[in-house]
Amino acid sequence: MNESILQLENVKKYFPIRGGVFSRIIGQVKAVDDVSFKIKKGETLGLVGESGCGKSTLGRTILKLLDPSGGRVYYKGNNIFETDKNELRLLRRELQIIFQDPFSSLNPRLNVGEIIGESLEIHGIATGKEKQERVEYMLDVCGLAPHHHRRYPHEFSGGQRQRVGIARALTLNPDFVVADEPISSLDVSIQAQIVNLMEDLQDKFGLTYLFISHDLSMVRHISDNVAVMYLGKVVEICEKKELYQNPLHPYTQALLSAVPVLDPDSKLERIILSGDVPSPADPPPGCNFNPRCRYAEKRCRQEEPELREINSGHFVSCHLVQEG
Ligand code: SF4
């Protein structure tokens, strides 16, 4: 079995709510609340959930692009959250991010060569001809022509811009990449091309991905394991096949029931979730899914369920799911 490259322990990210004349802190938005899991080297962990469930915030907190409110993230044995500025700068070479919107994440005033090559200079890795060769190599492996380095972001299509974003993320030869909804702003016809490119690059460079998406079909395609988030917490996590064949948490069951299936005889029941996602500033007591859960009972409104191992490697946080 591969060893873990990344281990999260009780990661929290709260945003303060300020109010009153003196703008005092009057509450907290618990965007990420006590999240723990491991990612093995070379695997892809899919992270799914509705908009606003905290998955992008978690991805950015792991990389310390947002200041954590608590917990630990171990990368190769070192706690990222305890690193100082210099140590973090070195870690940036190995931990990268691909952003959702390739247009707003690329500086329109720089050409593509400057965008991809910038980090090589910042980290003192390459300049001049060596930098140029590295940029052209990255363009080539990402499916663009080497001469594209002279062009500006607005001269590319959405799919090509995302290829530039991927080339930029990989130019320092990272080990671990957070892919934050990398296909959600692209046309459906382009999405599969980008996902296939990411898979090819994973094989070529031995990458580990945290693939954040609300598209369960794409997550099924690319992931080895899948974690489901609801209101800042992971409610289910296991191998991909197990999750899609045997979803145990009522929220996962509802999400999967909404995925279109090709079989016209499929008897899968569509589960419609009632109500809106509660505010993370004021989560309900007990299980935070209880206002929308069709199985909710008294205990669910009083006690928060723990994330328990129900079958080997299959973790679920629900009072009603039994082990074995
Ligand atoms: Fe539903 Fe209760 Fe399970 Fe929460 S603990 S998912 S409310 S059955």
Side-chain angles (χ1 to χ4, degrees):
M1 194 185 271
N2 288 354
E3 59 185 89
S4 302
I5 192 169
L6 206 77
Q7 182 169 349
L8 279 66
E9 290 180 1
N10 312 103
V11 173
K12 298 183 179 80
K13 177 61 192 172
Y14 299 167
F15 294 97
I17 305 169
R18 294 179 185 275
V21 184
F22 299 107
S23 197
R24 277 200 294 257
I25 294 176
I26 54 169
Q28 308 264 19
V29 174
K30 296 182 174 179
V32 175
D33 196 15
D34 225 359
V35 170
S36 304
F37 57 69
K38 294 176 182 175
I39 306 180
K40 284 182 250 158
K41 188 167 169 48
E43 81 164 11
T44 298
L45 176 68
L47 184 61
V48 298
E50 290 165 291
S51 304
C53 70
K55 50 193 192 306
S56 289
T57 304
L58 176 61
R60 284 160 201 239
T61 306
I62 289 173
L63 300 184
K64 223 179 161 187
L65 296 173
L66 294 171
D67 275 336
S69 306
R72 296 159 295 282
V73 173
Y74 292 100
Y75 170 70
K76 294 183 176 172
N78 297 315
N79 183 0
I80 297 173
F81 290 176
E82 284 182 348
T83 51
D84 62 26
K85 239 175 156 183
N86 287 333
E87 289 165 332
L88 193 60
R89 201 171 141 268
L90 287 175
L91 273 180
R92 286 270 173 266
R93 296 183 189 187
E94 301 177 39
L95 309 170
Q96 286 287 327
I97 184 165
I98 299 167
F99 293 99
Q100 173 180 357
D101 181 353
F103 199 59
S104 61
S105 69
L106 302 177
N107 186 338
R109 285 190 289 275
L110 298 182
N111 69 33
V112 158
E114 290 166 324
I115 289 169
I116 298 173
E118 199 177 24
S119 55
L120 294 168
E121 284 204 20
I122 291 172
H123 288 273
I125 292 171
T127 54
K129 191 165 178 283
E130 207 185 336
K131 183 180 91 170
Q132 179 68 16
E133 283 172 0
R134 177 72 183 166
V135 168
E136 290 183 8
Y137 172 72
M138 288 315 304
L139 286 170
D140 184 41
V141 294
C142 290
L144 295 163
H147 69 264
H148 280 151
H149 72 89
R150 288 190 210 91
R151 292 196 188 168
Y152 288 82
H154 71 271
E155 297 178 77
F156 291 95
S157 66
Q160 286 177 318
R161 277 198 293 269
Q162 193 53 295
R163 287 174 191 269
V164 173
I166 292 170
R168 176 181 59 180
L170 302 191
T171 190
L172 293 177
N173 214 6
D175 282 333
F176 174 73
V177 177
V178 171
D180 184 9
E181 301 260 13
I183 53 168
S184 62
S185 67
L186 304 176
D187 289 344
V188 175
S189 58
I190 306 295
Q191 291 181 349
Q193 290 177 18
I194 295 297
V195 168
N196 289 339
L197 172 68
M198 288 182 62
E199 285 183 313
D200 291 346
L201 294 170
Q202 182 171 40
D203 291 344
K204 192 174 182 74
F205 298 121
L207 299 167
T208 305
Y209 289 138
L210 176 66
F211 187 89
I212 299 170
S213 180
H214 59 266
D215 182 336
L216 282 124
S217 307
M218 218 41 104
V219 165
R220 180 177 202 165
H221 177 80
I222 196 170
S223 305
D224 299 293
N225 294 311
V226 179
V228 181
M229 262 186 102
Y230 184 79
L231 214 63
K233 293 177 182 289
V234 167
V235 296
E236 185 159 11
I237 182 168
C238 61
E239 275 188 5
K240 163 181 74 176
K241 198 170 165 202
E242 168 76 2
L243 187 98
Y244 282 80
Q245 285 182 354
N246 185 28
L248 296 177
H249 195 282
Y251 178 60
T252 313
Q253 291 168 354
L255 281 185
L256 289 180
S257 80
V259 177
V261 285
L262 291 176
D263 180 3
D265 299 325
S266 171
K267 299 273 191 307
L268 268 183
E269 179 199 2
R270 174 84 201 267
I271 303 165
I272 310 285
L273 285 177
S274 59
D276 293 327
V277 182
S279 166
D282 186 22
C287 170
N288 62 15
F289 187 57
N290 84 70
R292 303 172 83 195
C293 181
R294 57 185 182 160
Y295 305 114
E297 51 185 50
K298 192 176 169 199
R299 183 183 177 194
C300 305
R301 289 181 274 276
Q302 296 170 338
E303 259 178 65
E304 186 179 338
E306 280 178 27
L307 193 66
R308 291 172 295 129
E309 189 166 18
I310 303 298
N311 299 316
S312 173
H314 191 159
F315 294 80
V316 184
S317 70
C318 174
H319 291 310
L320 302 193
V321 178
Q322 304 297 329
E323 279 92 349

